[in-house]
Amino acid sequence: MAFLEVKDLQVYFPVKGGIFNRTVDHIKAVDGVSFEMEQGKTYGLVGESGSGKSTTGRAIIGLEEITSGQVLFDGKDITDKKTKNKAFRKDVQMIFQDPYSSLNPRKRVLDIVAEPLRNFEKLSKFEERKRVQELLDIVNVSPDSIFKYPHEFSGGQRQRIGVARAIALKPKLIIADEPVSALDVSVQAQVLNFLQEIQKELNLTYLFISHDLGVVKHMCDNISIMYKGRYVEQGSTKDIFENPQHIYTKRLIAAIPDINPRNREKQFEFRKEVADEYRKSFNHYFDSNGLAFALQSISDTHKVALPEKG
Amino acid sequence: MEADTVKMAEQKSPSALNILLRELYRDKLALVSLIFVLLITSFVFGVSIFLNQDEIVTVDLFSINAPPSDQFILGTDYGGRDVFGQLIIGTRNSLAIGILVTLISGIFGVAYGVVSGYFGGHIDNVLMRVIDFFMVLPFLMIIIVFVSMTPSYSVISFSLIMATFSWMGIARLIRSKALQEKELDYAQASKTLGTSRFNIIFKQVLPNITSLIIVTMTLNLAANIGLESGLSFLGFGFPEDTPSLGTLLSYARNPQTLEFRWWIWAPAAILILLLMLSVRNVGEALRRAADARQRRG
Amino acid sequence: MWKFIVRRLLITFPQIVFLSVLVFVMAQFMPGDALTGLIDPNVSPEALEIQRERLGLNNPWYVQYGDWVGGLVQGDLGQSFRFKMDVTALISERVMNTILLSAVSLFFTYIIAIPLGIVSGRYNDSPLDSFITGYSYLGFATPIFIFALVMLWVFGFILGWFPTSGSVAPGLDAGTVEYYISKLYHSLLPGLSIALISVVSTIQYLRSEIVDTKQRDFIVTARAKGASENRVYNKHIFRNSLLPIAAFFGWEITSLISGTVFVESVFSYPGMGLLFLESVTQRDFSVVTALVLLFGIASILGALLSDIILSIVDPRIRIK
């Protein structure tokens, strides 16, 4: 049984119009996404902005209403708002993209990190403070700073405070929505390594949402590529980087910058080639609406969205 | 100076009130206004303890319409009542009811706006239509009708009537702010952390809009002092045995008084003007401070 | 755009219905009914009861409400017991005065506010601008009745330049030129009192709008193209800023109504505001309800008008 199973997830946003403000159309942010996750692994979800990757993550945790489909967590159906009970809230946490807005500017670090504890555990003031200090210690923020306010910290520190809050209840799954893209590159690696460390310690499962293939390659065991609300390719990190099948994946990978300046010419040529191929074979890889086809398995771990044969 | 502010930022918590007060201190005009309002308030509340309201409002036929003299600093009105005493008690009553109405309408309006903004959707739609409707009512006339119809008319019923028609502005403002705030990640984060809706609204979102609330309530206080004195001026405010600043002004509806006996109405007019101006000054300075703080992030 | 207008109209209708229900309920709570003023005190209670039955005063409230609305639609606003005449006739006597007063004050408002706002915005932070901004700051804080009182005291009583009460000098025949001049003359000081206070919001709006537009890219482009400063202001900035001001006209109606109530009271100017105050004091409730209803409908329609004009002028508000 899979740890988290998402079946044909759809999230549509209504477009209002007309005299009575009725729903006249939908924007299909997530349009039929299915995947499974195993405990203790990291799953990458990659796509350009507007591809629906964040919406997928937010729908699983309940920040967006699910239009149709099913989400099973530990075998329990948690699709509907009402079924997202306390146990689920405790087991699934989220790390937000922007560490400047995800911490309440009016609250002290103590209150921020203790917020989940206050919701789920009845601790005395003393115990609570001790737990918060332990958590801050885990994320390498000085435990003395519990009475400071978020604006007194740097971006990287704030993101780590956000992580401390997310792991306070010892969750099983953490949805990390672009957790480092708002940070300076120098701080990114620091936060990423740290996320990997606590993963081992706490046996966490990550759903790692990002637009940065380099980061995803570094972090993930398994990667899914998303385009216009659908999956175009899914596979192990090796599958995706060494044997990309879908033209969209190829193009994304070709776009990763190469740090060796001598390869610049070669890289440029390669990109041009891929771009040409993309143009020529677009109709082969996408249906008449420019959307991806359904996924087909090409190996045990590797699935690609290709038109059905015949 | 620069180093000082940095140091302060490190030591002090950014509680809304603290920052606002600090900014106020820099704005000299607003500071003077604040001191003026505080002085007047403490003066009228202090002195009125020693004044006998019944004695002041008792008609004294032997000293009708007396000009200012040693006995009556600001003269007397058509009933021979001491204008200065009425001025003090009137200011106290006007301030008290202004504060009361501002608090009632403010608390209701904030709760209404926060609920509407936070829940959004259909609830918001319905609540906003109600506000739209209240906003287009000719509220002055309806207040007057209510005042004249209320059977056992008292200060409490007067302030409730006024509050009924003055909560919409703040509700609207708070609603649009709450609408913005709830989309911010920290409110979303609270949701994923299992915090109840009630706690998200009142413990997470509300502290972030306190400076807006303080600013709006201060400006509303000025408006309510004006509204009360206006209603009393028209004769639909406090009863005559409970003088307010507007009551003194209403004597000027008699052309004789207006033309020849300035001492009855002019001090009240000046006092209302100064009070409203000062309270507004404080409010505007607070608003500038709040805006500046938001720019700094 | 027509969608917005239709939607806006659809909101207006229930607003008017709610207003009428509110006014009707208010009227039910007022002491006395249509018969109170009409009937001779010597009539026996039995005869009174027959009359009540005949007039439908014993019917359930919704039937009475229906009758009342039916009457309203036909222009029947009831009877004033104080003046012993139809409310409709009574109001139409007074309505012209209030319209004249409103027109005069609107005229002064725009004629004063637009130049001041433009000067203040174009030469912002000049001494002239500081003066104008200072004035509007004071104006925001000044209650209209105090200002009107001071105006009356200074210009009416001390200087004697203007009449101190009424809407026309006594003894003039309606229809003569002198009559109309006198009417206008009587409305000047009250109209100016409203205008000098209500200019401040327009001045401030215009000023901030101009200061804002000045920095916009298209203005900078126009300047860079070599357009003269006057041309930039006349062609680009005013057109952007003045149209919304025209649209505010409808919303002004609501504030104009409370303005006229105060100012008519200060200047003993026999318009609808003064009629309202007198009727409340004298407990002439059929007049009171009629006036609240009329003023309410006027503000609802005013807001409607403004919203529609603004939606034509400024497409941004059509969203949502």
Side-chain angles (χ1 to χ4, degrees):
Chain A
M1 185 182 65
F3 176 61
L4 178 81
E5 194 174 356
V6 174
K7 288 183 191 163
D8 198 27
L9 178 73
Q10 293 184 333
V11 181
Y12 290 0
F13 295 121
V15 177
K16 303 271 186 187
I19 291 168
F20 295 102
N21 234 3
R22 291 254 172 77
T23 306
V24 291
D25 200 3
H26 288 100
I27 292 169
K28 300 177 177 180
V30 180
D31 189 14
V33 158
S34 307
F35 60 90
E36 292 178 5
M37 288 169 72
E38 277 173 48
Q39 192 154 14
K41 296 255 171 83
T42 302
Y43 291 79
L45 189 48
V46 183
E48 58 195 60
S49 38
S51 61
K53 55 187 193 307
S54 284
T55 312
T56 307
R58 293 167 64 89
I60 292 170
I61 202 167
L63 289 178
E64 305 287 355
E65 200 115 5
I66 293 173
T67 310
S68 78
Q70 216 182 8
V71 182
L72 300 172
F73 179 73
D74 252 351
K76 286 188 284 289
D77 188 330
I78 49 118
T79 314
D80 194 52
K81 257 198 175 133
K82 287 173 202 116
T83 55
K84 291 191 170 68
N85 53 17
K86 278 210 143 186
F88 170 78
R89 289 255 170 260
K90 203 173 161 179
D91 285 342
V92 183
Q93 285 300 324
M94 186 152 176
I95 300 172
F96 288 83
Q97 172 175 2
D98 181 3
Y100 291 90
S101 71
S102 63
L103 306 182
N104 193 334
R106 287 265 176 275
K107 298 281 171 181
R108 298 169 304 178
V109 170
L110 174 68
D111 300 312
I112 289 171
V113 178
E115 189 183 340
L117 298 173
R118 288 173 190 166
N119 289 333
F120 288 97
E121 289 169 32
K122 296 268 168 284
L123 298 176
S124 71
K125 283 263 171 262
F126 178 74
E127 288 170 321
E128 180 185 285
R129 192 186 288 189
K130 213 170 133 239
R131 277 284 292 283
V132 170
Q133 281 173 331
E134 284 164 14
L135 286 164
L136 289 177
D137 193 43
I138 295 177
V139 299
N140 293 328
V141 172
S142 162
D144 299 335
S145 49
I146 49 171
F147 293 119
K148 286 189 178 173
Y149 285 83
H151 70 103
E152 297 169 52
F153 293 93
S154 71
Q157 284 174 318
R158 292 169 68 130
Q159 194 59 303
R160 278 179 283 152
I161 292 170
V163 173
R165 175 175 65 181
I167 60 174
L169 296 169
K170 302 199 172 58
K172 295 175 182 160
L173 170 66
I174 289 186
I175 296 172
D177 186 2
E178 308 239 18
V180 294
S181 53
L183 302 178
D184 289 344
V185 180
S186 56
V187 188
Q188 285 192 1
Q190 186 199 341
V191 172
L192 289 174
N193 291 336
F194 158 73
L195 284 175
Q196 284 183 323
E197 272 168 40
I198 59 165
Q199 177 170 34
K200 271 178 231 137
E201 276 172 43
L202 303 170
N203 190 28
L204 289 170
T205 311
Y206 285 133
L207 176 60
F208 196 92
I209 298 164
S210 178
H211 63 269
D212 186 336
L213 270 174
V215 167
V216 168
K217 189 179 181 183
H218 175 78
M219 286 293 290
C220 302
D221 308 300
N222 201 300
I223 295 173
S224 310
I225 313 281
M226 214 169 160
Y227 177 72
K228 287 196 179 169
R230 294 187 183 179
Y231 271 15
V232 295
E233 194 160 354
Q234 188 178 32
S236 68
T237 306
K238 211 173 144 199
D239 290 334
I240 297 290
F241 279 91
E242 290 172 13
N243 185 24
Q245 289 297 308
H246 199 279
I247 185 64
Y248 183 74
T249 316
K250 285 183 196 168
R251 214 177 161 193
L252 277 184
I253 290 169
I256 299 175
D258 192 327
I259 44 166
N260 189 347
R262 283 186 199 128
N263 292 340
R264 199 189 279 159
E265 282 294 308
K266 232 172 79 191
Q267 183 80 9
F268 182 71
E269 281 305 312
F270 175 59
R271 264 183 215 162
K272 245 178 105 177
E273 252 170 59
V274 175
D276 280 342
E277 195 191 340
Y278 184 79
R279 253 193 309 280
K280 274 183 214 143
S281 56
F282 187 87
N283 290 334
H284 177 70
Y285 285 101
F286 295 100
D287 67 11
S288 53
N289 294 322
L291 297 175
F293 294 103
L295 291 177
Q296 318 270 339
S297 286
I298 58 166
S299 80
D300 281 353
T301 55
H302 200 170
K303 287 178 182 173
V304 188
L306 292 173
E308 282 176 54
K309 301 219 166 67
Chain B
M1 183 68 213
E2 191 66 42
D4 278 353
T5 32
V6 171
K7 218 170 156 194
M8 274 179 96
E10 272 170 12
Q11 288 166 346
K12 279 209 175 168
S13 60
S15 96
L17 199 62
N18 256 330
I19 291 183
L20 292 182
L21 287 179
R22 202 164 70 217
E23 296 284 337
L24 200 60
Y25 183 72
R26 286 190 195 148
D27 191 331
K28 291 296 171 236
L29 181 65
L31 189 65
V32 171
S33 304
L34 181 66
I35 292 171
F36 172 75
V37 172
L38 291 179
L39 276 181
I40 290 280
T41 311
S42 42
F43 179 73
V44 295
F45 278 88
V47 171
S48 61
I49 296 174
F50 304 105
L51 286 177
N52 185 345
Q53 179 168 325
D54 292 335
E55 195 178 298
I56 284 169
V57 298
T58 305
V59 175
D60 174 5
L61 293 175
F62 295 105
S63 44
I64 289 174
N65 290 330
S69 64
D70 288 345
Q71 195 193 350
F72 303 108
I73 304 172
L74 286 172
T76 58
D77 67 5
Y78 73 90
R81 292 166 290 205
D82 178 23
V83 172
F84 184 69
Q86 287 189 68
L87 197 64
I88 287 173
I89 291 182
T91 310
R92 184 197 64 184
N93 291 343
S94 287
L95 278 172
I97 198 156
I99 293 168
L100 190 62
V101 171
T102 307
L103 284 180
I104 298 174
S105 63
I107 290 169
F108 181 74
V110 167
Y112 192 97
V114 162
V115 166
S116 181
Y118 185 79
F119 285 96
H122 291 300
I123 296 176
D124 180 43
N125 242 326
V126 171
L127 292 181
M128 279 302 111
R129 287 291 88 79
V130 173
I131 285 197
D132 282 349
F133 176 65
F134 264 87
M135 297 275 268
V136 293
L137 286 179
F139 71 95
L140 180 73
M141 309 179 85
I142 295 186
I143 291 177
I144 290 175
V145 173
F146 274 47
V147 165
S148 68
M149 273 166 37
T150 310
S152 56
Y153 184 64
S154 69
V155 173
I156 297 296
S157 48
F158 179 41
S159 35
L160 282 179
I161 292 170
M162 268 177 74
T164 310
F165 295 94
S166 53
W167 56 271
M168 298 84 74
I170 191 166
R172 242 192 192 180
L173 211 65
I174 296 302
R175 175 247 179 193
S176 65
K177 188 74 181 157
L179 217 59
Q180 286 169 18
E181 289 286 325
K182 77 159 178 186
E183 292 306 320
L184 292 181
D185 283 346
Y186 78 83
Q188 306 262 318
S190 285
K191 224 165 152 185
T192 68
L193 295 168
T195 307
S196 68
R197 277 185 165 194
F198 182 86
N199 278 347
I200 296 179
I201 296 180
F202 290 101
K203 290 197 177 156
Q204 300 287 331
V205 171
L206 204 58
N208 279 288
I209 44 186
T210 38
S211 48
L212 184 70
I213 295 172
I214 294 172
V215 169
T216 317
M217 299 249 284
T218 313
L219 293 174
N220 280 358
L221 175 61
N224 286 331
I225 292 174
L227 182 60
E228 179 278 318
S229 54
L231 285 165
S232 299
F233 168 76
L234 293 176
F236 298 97
F238 284 108
E240 199 170 297
D241 60 356
T242 320
S244 92
L245 290 173
T247 321
L248 282 169
L249 273 168
S250 71
Y251 298 147
R253 274 159 62 205
N254 175 352
Q256 295 284 314
T257 306
L258 179 64
E259 194 175 359
F260 302 114
R261 293 187 277 276
W262 57 268
W263 61 86
I264 294 176
W265 60 271
I270 293 168
L271 205 52
I272 292 176
L273 268 182
L274 284 178
L275 270 179
M276 283 181 69
L277 203 58
S278 306
V279 176
R280 273 191 68 91
N281 268 341
V282 175
E284 291 287 342
L286 290 177
R287 166 147 70 198
R288 281 193 297 274
D291 284 352
R293 194 179 51 75
Q294 265 159 10
R295 268 202 299 280
R296 271 188 256 124
Chain C
M1 184 183 65
W2 65 270
K3 264 188 208 159
F4 174 83
I5 294 176
V6 172
R7 205 184 298 161
R8 188 61 186 76
L9 279 169
L10 286 178
I11 297 173
T12 307
F13 186 67
Q15 277 183 339
I16 293 181
V17 172
F18 275 126
L19 176 75
S20 72
V21 171
L22 183 78
V23 171
F24 178 75
V25 170
M26 244 164 56
Q28 296 304 302
F29 280 102
M30 289 173 185
D33 55 38
L35 287 175
T36 320
L38 290 177
I39 299 225
D40 186 320
N42 302 325
V43 173
S44 71
E46 291 79 26
L48 203 69
E49 195 47 43
I50 294 166
Q51 284 278 15
R52 290 180 62 88
E53 193 60 49
R54 191 176 63 79
L55 286 169
L57 294 174
N58 294 335
N59 290 339
W61 66 270
Y62 47 87
V63 177
Q64 290 199 41
Y65 174 72
D67 292 346
W68 181 69
V69 171
L72 290 183
V73 175
Q74 290 161 15
D76 174 15
L77 294 168
Q79 286 271 323
S80 157
F81 82 83
R82 180 161 65 113
F83 293 97
K84 305 279 186 257
M85 64 195 285
D86 277 351
V87 175
T88 320
L90 183 62
I91 288 178
S92 47
E93 253 177 33
R94 299 286 193 105
V95 75
M96 280 321 291
N97 284 339
T98 296
I99 288 179
L100 175 68
L101 178 60
S102 309
V104 168
S105 69
L106 277 177
F107 171 77
F108 280 127
T109 304
Y110 289 127
I111 210 96
I112 297 168
I114 291 174
L116 289 188
I118 287 173
V119 167
S120 186
R122 180 164 176 180
Y123 307 105
N124 61 322
D125 299 328
S126 67
L128 195 56
D129 170 47
S130 316
F131 178 75
I132 295 171
T133 314
Y135 171 74
S136 37
Y137 203 81
L138 275 174
F140 266 120
T142 310
I144 187 150
F145 67 96
I146 293 185
F147 186 70
L149 264 182
V150 174
M151 291 284 278
L152 176 64
W153 186 49
V154 174
F155 295 103
F157 285 110
I158 295 183
L159 297 172
W161 292 354
F162 291 97
T164 54
S165 72
S167 73
V168 68
L172 289 173
D173 291 326
T176 60
V177 179
E178 286 84 8
Y179 176 83
Y180 287 114
I181 290 176
S182 167
K183 278 230 138 179
L184 194 62
Y185 186 43
H186 277 79
S187 68
L188 282 185
L189 196 57
L192 208 56
S193 304
I194 298 179
L196 284 173
I197 290 297
S198 62
V199 285
V200 294
S201 53
T202 313
I203 292 179
Q204 279 312 297
Y205 175 82
L206 201 54
R207 177 184 186 274
S208 61
E209 195 73 353
I210 290 176
V211 171
D212 249 27
T213 326
K214 266 206 291 211
Q215 335 280 359
R216 295 269 182 77
D217 288 346
F218 73 96
I219 297 298
V220 176
T221 315
R223 279 213 190 92
K225 280 194 315 196
S228 76
E229 203 64 0
N230 276 328
R231 193 183 149 80
V232 167
Y233 276 94
N234 293 333
K235 278 217 70 152
H236 297 281
I237 295 184
F238 296 157
R239 194 194 292 167
N240 266 301
S241 317
L242 283 183
L243 284 174
I245 288 194
F248 289 157
F249 164 72
W251 288 321
E252 294 275 318
I253 289 181
T254 318
S255 59
L256 208 55
I257 287 172
S258 39
T260 50
V261 172
F262 281 117
V263 168
E264 286 180 10
S265 159
V266 169
F267 288 90
S268 319
Y269 184 86
M272 286 162 69
L274 195 61
L275 176 65
F276 170 77
L277 291 174
E278 290 165 357
S279 305
V280 174
T281 318
Q282 312 250 357
R283 318 224 131 218
D284 192 357
F285 287 116
S286 46
V287 182
V288 172
T289 37
L291 284 171
V292 173
L293 189 68
L294 283 181
F295 276 124
I297 290 176
S299 357
I300 289 176
L301 293 183
L304 172 74
L305 191 70
S306 275
D307 279 353
I308 288 178
I309 298 177
L310 209 62
S311 80
I312 296 168
V313 173
D314 185 351
R316 278 172 301 180
I317 77 146
R318 266 182 252 149
I319 303 165
K320 160 85 196 159

